[in-house]
Amino acid sequence: MSYRAPAWLPDGHSQTIWPALMLRTPRPPYRREQWPTPDGANIALDFVDGRRGSPLVVLFHGLEGSSDSHYARALMQAVAARGWHGVVPHFRGCGGMDNPLPRAYHAGDAAEIRWILQRLALRYPLMAVAAVSLGGSMLLNYLAEEGPSALPLAAAAISAPLDLVAASTRLDRGLGRLLYTRMFMNTLKPKALATLRQHPGLFDAGRVRRARTFVEFDDAVTAPLHGYGTALNYWQRASSKPRLRQISCPTLILNARNDPFLPASALPAATEVSPTVVLDFPLHGGHVGFVSGRFPGHIHWLPQRLLDFFLPHLQNSSSQANPPAKP
């Protein structure tokens, strides 16, 4: 299923999350559960309930996203239309939940993905997992660490910052810094300062307040908070691109070549991934945008692309688990 941007939508930053944000779909019929984390916090998970025995589609959101992000609403509506189960787990401090612990979430946080999927797998034997942007980096790191033991029957990473060093050159300069970095800092910095009030001395409040770029914020907060030391060390160690050969789960990696968060030169070649990884790099689509159709456009292409990729893997596993009766 190839993607073609509408002729009225020019290349560049205009084909990003911004037009998609203006094309929000209705809120799905979510049912919320709150789960305790292994280390004593709580996270929220918003479920869409499907038919009994149908597969589950999990969606991990991006940086400061939620179940109300445009891509989450669109995918969960498409999942509900098929009668499948869906869920959007929220990372620490997202989805309206407080985060009382001296840790957040980050690109290399495979552990957070692991325990959530382990618990979901106890309830849903047929499971496919998608993840967006930073969540995509977390998912790919999990898949690489688990290898053949990974729980999903199929997976997809959308607009993931596969090379965090290369991504930093986009987000901390020019229009990327003016638009996107400023938007993220508006929520990341207050959350970091709230954590500091609960855990005095954890990092330098002055550096947090002065942070205007991701290198400044990650160097002050993300890297030391999660054991990486410096921003550069965090970016190098948490990048998923060097680990893509270790993935055994059938996995779609979908990145637009005009994504303002990652230069096309940083996208992996087929020789840099395992045979189970499918690379899809359309020319247009921006960052989790993929607006298509006649003006004003729609954002249905992405959910359809994901579900079309998941379907044969879910069907194969379902038929193996329930073989036809012998005549």
Side-chain angles (χ1 to χ4, degrees):
M1 181 182 179
S2 61
Y3 173 74
R4 179 177 295 177
W8 53 266
L9 194 58
D11 195 9
H13 287 267
S14 58
Q15 172 62 334
T16 65
I17 60 176
W18 297 112
L21 287 172
M22 296 184 287
L23 298 169
R24 290 167 65 86
T25 54
R27 196 172 196 268
Y30 287 132
R31 174 182 57 81
R32 174 158 287 199
E33 294 184 13
Q34 291 187 21
W35 288 3
T37 67
D39 52 1
N42 287 282
I43 63 167
L45 299 91
D46 286 340
F47 285 84
V48 170
D49 295 317
R51 294 188 301 268
R52 184 176 180 180
S54 62
L56 172 73
V57 174
V58 185
L59 175 66
F60 290 104
H61 61 79
L63 182 63
E64 296 300 278
S66 75
S67 61
D68 278 326
S69 296
H70 69 277
Y71 51 82
R73 287 189 175 197
L75 180 58
M76 290 298 110
Q77 286 284 17
V79 167
R82 291 196 179 212
W84 292 3
H85 303 286
V87 63
V88 183
H90 292 88
F91 297 128
R92 311 295 181 102
C94 296
M97 300 290 289
D98 292 331
N99 178 23
L101 300 180
R103 66 110 69 210
Y105 60 102
H106 58 89
D109 200 358
E112 193 79 341
I113 302 290
R114 182 177 295 108
W115 80 264
I116 293 173
L117 293 185
Q118 285 173 344
R119 182 162 171 176
L120 287 169
L122 297 175
R123 195 186 306 179
Y124 303 96
L126 299 175
M127 181 169 62
V129 183
V132 167
S133 196
L134 191 78
S137 178
M138 297 166 68
L139 176 62
L140 291 171
N141 276 303
Y142 160 80
L143 295 172
E145 287 187 15
E146 292 296 302
S149 299
L151 291 171
L153 298 173
I158 306 100
S159 302
L162 305 167
D163 182 335
L164 292 168
V165 176
S168 72
T169 65
R170 285 292 184 92
L171 287 174
D172 282 350
R173 300 177 185 174
L175 196 56
R177 176 176 175 178
L178 180 65
L179 294 179
Y180 307 110
T181 301
R182 178 183 293 181
M183 176 183 69
F184 288 128
M185 291 299 154
N186 285 341
T187 58
L188 287 172
K189 290 166 66 172
K191 287 183 179 181
L193 293 172
T195 297
L196 194 59
R197 286 192 292 271
Q198 296 181 71
H199 305 277
L202 199 59
F203 40 78
D204 187 333
R207 291 184 65 192
V208 176
R209 293 190 180 95
R210 292 191 299 270
R212 297 291 183 273
T213 63
F214 271 102
V215 67
E216 292 170 346
F217 183 84
D218 285 345
D219 212 49
V221 181
T222 313
L225 193 61
H226 301 107
Y228 291 102
T230 66
L232 182 58
N233 190 42
Y234 161 52
W235 296 340
Q236 290 173 336
R237 289 173 54 193
S239 289
S240 56
K241 183 178 177 180
R243 313 177 76 182
L244 298 179
R245 289 194 184 96
Q246 300 168 236
I247 294 176
S248 297
C249 173
T251 300
L252 171 68
I253 296 180
L254 175 63
N255 283 71
R257 292 185 178 275
N258 71 334
D259 189 334
F261 287 28
L262 186 72
S265 59
L267 295 171
T271 55
E272 297 178 282
V273 304
S274 82
T276 63
V277 172
V278 175
L279 301 176
D280 188 354
F281 302 146
L283 292 177
H284 307 277
H287 189 73
V288 207
F290 300 104
V291 176
S292 56
R294 294 182 178 181
F295 184 84
H298 60 79
I299 53 174
H300 303 319
W301 180 86
L302 179 58
Q304 191 65 44
R305 177 71 177 98
L306 298 178
L307 297 182
D308 284 351
F309 179 78
F310 292 155
L311 185 59
H313 303 291
L314 294 169
Q315 286 178 330
N316 290 341
S317 294
S318 179
S319 61
Q320 291 172 10
N322 301 287
K326 294 182 179 180

